[in-house]
Amino acid sequence: MIRSELLQALQDDNPELRAEEVEQVVDVFFDEIAQRLSEGGRVELRGFGAFSTRERAARTGRNPRTGESVDVPAKRVPYFKAGKDMRRRLNDD
């Protein structure tokens, strides 16, 4: 599902809201998750999963085009761990 499909599904489920209002809700939702992660925090959505960040150490990489060694700096990357209910829904047969 892409963002526009999510907006359309929310619009279909909430016909009393204008499209601009639905888009504003989605923007706030994603902005708040991104803001909390950028502050080093964690976002947990019960039954769905948890968003957090993980530290990646600096390393020496390789440019695939030239084969030249390249220093890759340390960084934080987003991480998602599915909740128990989500894992159960994915694996139910």
Side-chain angles (χ1 to χ4, degrees):
M1 174 177 272
I2 59 174
R3 186 174 190 279
S4 61
E5 292 170 339
L6 175 62
L7 291 172
Q8 186 60 52
L10 289 171
Q11 181 67 44
D12 293 346
D13 288 348
N14 300 283
E16 68 280 1
L17 296 176
R18 294 188 335 261
E20 296 82 21
E21 294 171 323
V22 171
E23 188 166 3
Q24 184 178 14
V25 168
V26 170
D27 287 342
V28 167
F29 181 77
F30 289 131
D31 289 345
E32 286 298 317
I33 290 174
Q35 179 65 34
R36 182 60 55 107
L37 293 177
S38 71
E39 295 168 354
R42 181 172 190 250
V43 177
E44 183 176 331
L45 303 171
R46 298 278 173 163
F48 183 72
F51 297 90
S52 61
T53 58
R54 292 205 169 163
E55 298 290 328
R56 291 253 174 101
R59 63 184 176 85
T60 301
R62 192 164 296 284
N63 181 333
R65 191 172 283 188
T66 64
E68 177 183 345
S69 292
V70 178
D71 289 330
V72 179
K75 59 186 166 185
R76 289 187 325 176
V77 294
Y79 176 75
F80 175 76
K81 181 177 181 183
K84 188 187 303 184
D85 292 341
M86 176 64 76
R87 288 191 309 268
R88 189 177 306 127
R89 288 180 73 177
L90 291 174
N91 294 304
D92 268 351
D93 289 336

